[in-house]
Amino acid sequence: MEVPEEPTEKEPTEETVEEAPEPEPGPESRPRRRGRTTLLIAVAAVLGVVAGTCTGFVVQADRAPDALPSLSQATLTQAKGPAPEPLSAAQDRRVKTDGDLRKLLLKKPSGARDAGYAVGTDGWMDLAEYAETFEKPADAFGDLVAEDFRRAAVVNWREGSSLFVEIRLVQFRQDDELVVADDADDAYYWAEKKAHTDSWPIPGTGDGMAYVHNSPDRKTGYTDVYNAEAHAWRGDVEMQVWVSSAKPVSKKKIMDLAKRQMERL
């Protein structure tokens, strides 16, 4: 019996061998080129916008301008008769405070003498002189400039042998803010910080205060000096009353000076 021969693979010939097609590169294998058609479309779009804008300007330039609406209005009826008289000094405080501020200061009481030391010039204290009354004049000078310091009127006298009184009226312009109220608050703060101090509100002044310092101030280096002070404000003017004596100052004394000075404002 014949055993069939195992089939053998047929060797490919040149006629049977077919070359496999090379794979085309995928989208990641080479960049896609922007065609000329896309570029031409973009250029045409830009030219169209420019041409449209120019056409709009030409059309608008050839048109006649539109007439503006009339600004006229009905004639207002004017009041007849004389104008009202300006307010008197009793009705308008600015009539007082815009004048000679020195006239609003308390007068020296009968029997009082010159204090023996000069304060200001002819009843006025300029910016530099007023700044010198503070413990740090340079800092005070800058603060007063920023606060629109306007002017200060001052008077002082001596009663008896050892009691001295000094009263100041300090005025600010107050174009942007209520500076005088802030300055008065500072005065209240520093007066209340001193030890052994009694204080009372000044009637009719809103937040005005009077202070008596019961401990002597030994800064002078010569003798014990007792002080009292009062602060209040009205409008654009701040009132300051200072009393010093070799003996303790009474509440009655400082309150009387403060109330009478504020009445003049």
Side-chain angles (χ1 to χ4, degrees):
M1 184 175 180
E2 295 182 359
V3 179
E5 297 180 357
E6 293 181 4
T8 61
E9 294 182 0
K10 186 177 181 180
E11 295 182 1
T13 64
E14 294 182 0
E15 295 180 357
T16 60
V17 175
E18 296 182 0
E19 296 182 358
E22 296 181 1
E24 295 183 359
E28 297 180 356
S29 61
R30 67 181 179 186
R32 182 178 181 182
R33 295 181 180 178
R34 181 175 294 177
R36 296 178 61 188
T37 303
T38 304
L39 181 60
L40 291 175
I41 292 174
V43 173
V46 173
L47 292 176
V49 173
V50 173
T53 303
C54 294
T55 302
F57 277 115
V58 172
V59 172
Q60 185 65 29
D62 291 338
R63 290 179 179 175
D66 295 337
L68 295 174
S70 176
L71 299 178
S72 62
Q73 61 179 3
T75 303
L76 299 178
T77 304
Q78 296 184 354
K80 297 181 180 180
E85 295 182 358
L87 295 176
S88 64
Q91 298 171 309
D92 188 356
R93 289 196 299 266
R94 292 299 297 269
V95 175
K96 286 184 176 182
T97 58
D98 281 346
D100 191 341
L101 205 59
R102 297 172 300 178
K103 295 181 178 180
L104 299 181
L105 289 165
L106 282 179
K107 305 302 180 183
K108 294 180 182 179
S110 59
R113 295 177 291 172
D114 291 338
Y117 61 94
V119 177
T121 303
D122 193 24
W124 294 107
M125 299 180 76
D126 60 21
L127 177 57
E129 290 172 322
Y130 182 57
E132 286 292 333
T133 64
F134 291 81
E135 290 187 0
K136 296 181 179 180
D139 293 342
F141 187 93
D143 292 340
L144 291 169
V145 170
E147 293 171 352
D148 279 342
F149 169 87
R150 181 179 176 184
R151 57 183 179 168
V154 61
V155 66
N156 66 330
W157 64 80
R158 180 174 62 174
E159 298 179 15
S161 60
S162 62
L163 189 142
F164 296 83
V165 176
E166 182 173 324
I167 302 176
R168 306 173 197 152
L169 297 180
V170 186
Q171 190 171 34
F172 297 86
R173 290 185 176 85
Q174 298 198 135
D175 294 330
D176 300 322
E177 57 183 334
L178 195 62
V179 177
V180 68
D182 294 337
D183 264 39
D185 285 340
D186 289 343
Y188 305 154
Y189 172 80
W190 291 111
E192 291 170 358
K193 278 197 68 174
K194 296 180 180 179
H196 311 293
T197 296
D198 294 328
S199 62
W200 307 271
I202 304 172
T205 63
D207 59 354
M209 295 293 295
Y211 304 88
V212 168
H213 307 298
N214 299 303
S215 295
D217 184 359
R218 296 182 174 88
K219 291 182 179 180
T220 59
Y222 295 104
T223 184
D224 292 342
V225 177
Y226 293 86
N227 294 308
E229 57 188 290
H231 303 275
W233 63 277
R234 180 164 293 167
D236 56 358
V237 177
E238 178 186 358
M239 177 204 73
Q240 302 174 1
V241 180
W242 306 90
V243 179
S244 61
S245 175
K247 300 178 181 179
V249 182
S250 66
K251 171 188 175 182
K252 179 180 178 181
K253 182 63 178 179
I254 188 64
M255 288 289 286
D256 176 66
L257 289 169
K259 288 190 293 183
R260 290 194 294 117
Q261 179 57 75
M262 286 302 295
E263 288 172 358
R264 295 182 65 85
L265 292 178

